[in-house]
Amino acid sequence: MIIQVRNAALTYQSKDGEVEALHNISLSMNKGELCSIVGPSGCGKSTLLGAIAGLERLDSGSIVVDGEEVTGPSPRIGLMPQRDQLFEW
């Protein structure tokens, strides 16, 4: 699987105003490579992974997986969130 992120940008609205979660992010991951995304809490790591999985829609830029632009969720990509968010129990 080849993943290319090109100039990804995403801003969302919070109770405190707009939050620029991603700004001009570009990276490329080739088949067989291992990639780690690290940074402090709130820097956009989970947002980027959600966008690659098709769960977050970019404001600008693009994400291409195996030559196809990501436009929504795909059965080929899975994402395990860091905490459960479906049920309170």
Side-chain angles (χ1 to χ4, degrees):
M1 180 176 289
I2 299 171
I3 300 171
Q4 296 175 319
V5 179
R6 300 178 188 140
N7 303 314
L10 189 150
T11 301
Y12 65 88
Q13 191 68 35
S14 78
K15 63 181 179 181
D16 299 324
E18 286 190 345
V19 175
E20 189 174 41
L22 302 175
H23 175 77
N24 198 28
I25 303 294
S26 295
L27 60 92
S28 198
M29 293 173 268
N30 292 310
K31 185 176 182 176
E33 287 184 336
L34 178 66
C35 177
S36 296
I37 301 171
V38 296
S41 178
C43 74
K45 302 177 300 290
S46 295
T47 302
L48 177 60
L49 292 174
I52 293 170
L55 302 175
E56 301 276 355
R57 184 174 213 128
L58 296 176
D59 295 331
S60 63
S62 64
I63 298 174
V64 177
V65 176
D66 284 343
E68 292 185 33
E69 187 165 0
V70 174
T71 58
S74 167
R76 297 182 54 221
I77 300 174
L79 176 67
M80 176 63 73
Q82 53 192 350
R83 67 177 201 264
D84 59 10
Q85 298 175 354
L86 298 177
F87 304 107
E88 292 180 12
W89 41 271

